[in-house]
Amino acid sequence: MVRSVLVLGGGSAGYLAALTLKMKLPQLDVAVVHSKEIGIIGVGEATTVALPKVLHGYLGFDPGDFYRRVETTWKLGIRFLWGPRPYFDYTFGSQLDWKWANLGKFNGYYCDDFSYVDLPSALMSQNKAFARRADGGPVVGVNNYAYHIENGKFVEYLHQKALELGVTVRDEEVAEVLVNDAGIAGLRVASGAVRTADLYVDCSGFRSALLGKALGEPFHSFKSSLFNDRAVTGGWARGDEPVQPYTTAETMDSGWCWRIDHLDRINRGYVYSTDFISDADAEAEFRRKNPKVTGTRVVKFVTGRYARSWVKNVIAVGNAAGFVEPLESTGLAVICDESRLLAEALADSDGDPSPSMAAAYNDIFAREWDSIRYFLAIHFKFNTRLDTPYWRACRADLDLGTAAGVVEFYRENGPTPYAKTSVLGTNDIFGMEGYLCLLLGQGVPYRRRAEPSPREWQLWHGIRAENRVKALTAVGVAEAYRAVSDPSWRWDAAAFRV
Ligand SMILES: Cc1cc2nc3c(=O)[nH]c(=O)nc-3n(C[C@H](O)[C@H](O)[C@H](O)COP(=O)(O)OP(=O)(O)OC[C@H]3O[C@@H](n4cnc5c(N)ncnc54)[C@H](O)[C@@H]3O)c2cc1C
């Protein structure tokens, strides 16, 4: 019977897991042990729509309070400087898994010019975040929006919330992990004290101190699909540049570079593979592209997942369970899922989860990680923008795994979401919208070209023009932030419900 839980780690995974457990099972004794000396990873700034939904809908944390404390900005999608087009936008809306009224085919067939397809993409093209109300204020949407947050500020917010909710937080380093037949028997901390609980949540980051090291769970590398293993990060204080309401992913010689806009800062990070470029050359290329960057930092990572993330009395959450590179900002989204399913397993079993529940949990996350791996792989397999050794190797050698079937279907039939339930794996978080966007955006050819009638083209361009006009008068990020920072701002908590 699980009455107490000990979370090892005070990064975003540790606090999100602890908060989810405490919110959903208030009777649980939840404690976090972390080490300020070891520190947190300090990166992880772009989210998917999962984070706002979980924070405000599932956990019920007030969005206004969150925006003010974390100084959040909004993300409508990712702008890819990728493939043969100057750019394409992958929004959180429905550009391609959608058919505008009166058109014969799904939108993708008309996307020779892939912009202004829906309102979010039009807003991105005009550097705007929200439509404008009649009284001049922003229509602050909740669906189809994600966040840009600085990792340190976010973790500090979660830490404070944990304390407010009665989670015990101790800053002490775990020096020894005690193991027995049930799994973990206790954590001996630097003072010599042994911390024990009925269940241990391993949120120790890439160290995977409990699942990987102490229990020896095998690690499955994703290297054959995802070559990158390092990032050099840096940024600069914002000047008079407008705040971009999207993450940029820009093709680089041996990887890609993100741009994430905060209110007072612009951060960039070059994600690369050390098989193709040295740290020094990556930093030099990063600085050439971003001359305003001040200090830089190199972050190492390993791509893959542990065979199981729930083993005996240990469940790993976050980087301790698995990691893929941040091209689709999936880290925090998976942590939200892991934390929620753990809380539900304990709730539904009255604190006594069966082996089959643990097996189901493991199966769900094995599939989720694998589907993310292969979705990311198509970003690299089809990017023809540069002809460097890195990109040539990506195009020639990358393992597409289960995504290969989706690509084949697209090549044969074009940008239709027709077979989403047959060609997509279960637990796929991107859907046909994601696949079609990446395949069409990168100009992957397909066999059956559509020949829309003049009337269809007129309708199509009319819709794009309407989206553009709406976006021209919309509200930018800085103006929207000023509006929501006013304490008189009212939130519709029900809109976030999941
Ligand atoms: C380059 C890069 C970019 C990323 N960008 C994004 C992004 O844009 N969006 C996104 O969603 N995700 C992103 N991620 C992933 C994201 O940063 C992480 O998934 C997320 O922050 C979770 O980290 P964590 O809590 O698992 O680990 P960490 O932040 O590393 O926390 C580990 C914790 O364990 C503690 N600990 C470890 N060992 C001990 C010990 N022996 N004793 C006591 N305490 C210990 C540490 O003190 C720390 O508190 C990125 C990751 C990388 C590498």
Side-chain angles (χ1 to χ4, degrees):
M1 189 63 76
V2 177
R3 294 191 182 84
S4 60
V5 175
L6 182 51
V7 178
L8 172 59
S12 33
Y15 284 122
L16 277 167
L19 281 166
T20 308
L21 289 170
K22 196 66 192 169
M23 285 296 288
K24 295 296 160 185
L25 301 147
Q27 74 283 5
L28 261 191
D29 176 5
V30 181
V32 171
V33 168
H34 73 109
S35 157
K36 274 201 185 133
E37 180 71 25
I38 293 174
I40 58 173
I41 191 160
V43 280
E45 304 180 283
T47 80
T48 68
V49 292
L51 189 81
K53 287 191 172 155
V54 165
L55 281 182
H56 314 307
Y58 185 66
L59 297 177
F61 296 164
D62 179 73
D65 179 54
F66 179 76
Y67 288 166
R68 287 188 285 270
R69 283 161 75 172
V70 182
E71 297 178 356
T72 315
T73 57
W74 295 273
K75 169 184 172 188
L76 281 73
I78 303 174
R79 171 157 293 182
F80 282 96
L81 311 184
W82 213 267
R85 300 176 191 269
Y87 69 85
F88 66 92
D89 293 333
Y90 175 18
T91 72
F92 295 118
S94 296
Q95 297 189 91
L96 303 180
D97 191 356
W98 190 256
K99 186 193 285 190
W100 289 115
N102 301 326
L103 285 177
K105 290 190 165 66
F106 276 86
N107 289 353
Y109 291 99
Y110 306 93
C111 282
D112 287 353
D113 182 344
F114 189 6
S115 61
Y116 294 96
V117 176
D118 61 357
L119 185 60
S121 67
L123 291 169
M124 282 171 69
S125 287
Q126 294 297 327
N127 260 330
K128 299 287 168 56
F130 300 109
R132 195 177 288 282
R133 290 195 313 251
D135 69 1
V139 183
V140 178
V142 293
N143 292 315
N144 307 335
Y145 284 90
Y147 293 151
H148 284 154
I149 44 180
E150 284 196 73
N151 187 254
K153 285 180 189 162
F154 179 53
V155 172
E156 183 50 31
Y157 165 86
L158 296 174
H159 174 205
Q160 291 304 328
K161 290 296 284 185
L163 294 177
E164 285 164 27
L165 286 169
V167 173
T168 309
V169 179
R170 292 194 180 90
D171 176 8
E172 52 192 10
E173 186 167 337
V174 170
E176 189 188 359
V177 179
L178 309 175
V179 180
N180 62 13
D181 285 347
I184 302 298
L187 307 182
R188 191 186 306 283
V189 294
S191 66
V194 175
R195 308 282 175 218
T196 58
D198 300 322
L199 192 73
Y200 296 83
V201 184
D202 185 354
C203 299
S204 61
F206 289 126
R207 292 166 179 242
S208 196
L210 309 185
L211 181 74
K213 287 214 178 68
L215 298 187
E217 184 65 9
F219 185 76
H220 293 328
S221 167
F222 290 169
K223 187 83 194 261
S224 63
S225 301
L226 301 169
F227 293 166
N228 297 335
D229 56 5
R230 217 162 274 196
V232 54
T233 67
W236 61 91
R238 173 182 300 287
D240 54 6
E241 306 104 316
V243 186
Q244 294 183 347
Y246 52 84
T247 302
T248 300
E250 178 178 9
T251 306
M252 300 282 276
D253 286 356
S254 301
W256 64 279
C257 188
W258 74 69
R259 170 177 164 156
I260 293 176
D261 278 42
H262 302 288
L263 289 171
D264 55 358
R265 206 178 153 72
I266 295 170
N267 283 339
R268 301 217 64 174
Y270 179 6
V271 181
Y272 56 94
S273 163
T274 48
D275 288 345
F276 293 87
I277 194 167
S278 67
D279 289 342
D281 287 348
E283 185 182 343
E285 188 191 349
F286 181 59
R287 284 189 179 279
R288 269 199 311 281
K289 274 264 162 70
N290 301 286
K292 291 186 187 167
V293 158
T294 50
T296 59
R297 174 166 88 98
V298 171
V299 184
K300 296 180 183 173
F301 57 82
V302 185
T303 301
R305 67 167 170 85
Y306 286 90
R308 298 169 297 171
S309 39
W310 187 333
V311 178
K312 299 184 175 176
N313 62 355
V314 171
I315 291 123
V317 171
N319 297 351
F323 180 76
V324 294
E325 65 149 81
L327 184 51
E328 285 289 346
S329 321
T330 40
L332 293 167
V334 178
I335 290 169
C336 288
D337 279 353
E338 290 168 335
S339 303
R340 185 172 55 82
L341 283 194
L342 170 58
E344 283 171 10
L346 294 183
D348 290 349
S349 65
D350 293 319
D352 188 16
S354 63
S356 59
M357 201 153 227
Y361 182 98
N362 286 329
D363 184 52
I364 289 166
F365 287 104
R367 287 169 194 259
E368 187 162 322
W369 280 119
D370 292 350
S371 72
I372 296 172
R373 163 192 185 168
Y374 295 127
F375 178 65
L376 289 184
I378 68 166
H379 297 57
F380 295 98
K381 185 86 176 175
F382 298 109
N383 184 3
T384 52
R385 200 175 189 100
L386 291 180
D387 199 29
T388 58
Y390 170 89
W391 286 106
R392 280 199 292 275
C394 286
R395 292 193 287 268
D397 301 332
L398 273 186
D399 170 17
L400 279 188
T402 50
V406 186
V407 175
E408 242 349 274
F409 189 86
Y410 164 91
R411 284 190 188 282
E412 177 88 30
N413 300 288
T416 169
Y418 180 79
K420 63 179 121 184
T421 48
S422 67
V423 295
L424 274 191
T426 49
N427 293 41
D428 186 288
I429 58 178
F430 304 99
M432 282 309 277
E433 178 68 36
Y435 278 93
L436 294 180
C437 200
L438 264 296
L439 293 168
L440 200 67
Q442 294 179 96
V444 179
Y446 57 91
R447 281 197 272 285
R448 291 206 179 155
R449 299 299 308 183
E451 285 178 17
S453 66
R455 183 176 146 62
E456 280 182 299
W457 277 129
Q458 197 186 0
L459 275 168
W460 175 252
H461 290 306
I463 290 163
R464 293 178 63 231
E466 270 174 37
N467 289 334
R468 184 168 179 278
V469 167
K470 280 186 205 151
L472 282 175
T473 55
V475 181
V477 172
E479 184 186 343
Y481 187 80
R482 280 195 298 279
V484 302
S485 299
D486 190 319
S488 67
W489 184 263
R490 288 289 167 268
W491 298 93
D492 177 11
F496 286 99
R497 202 126 294 150
V498 281

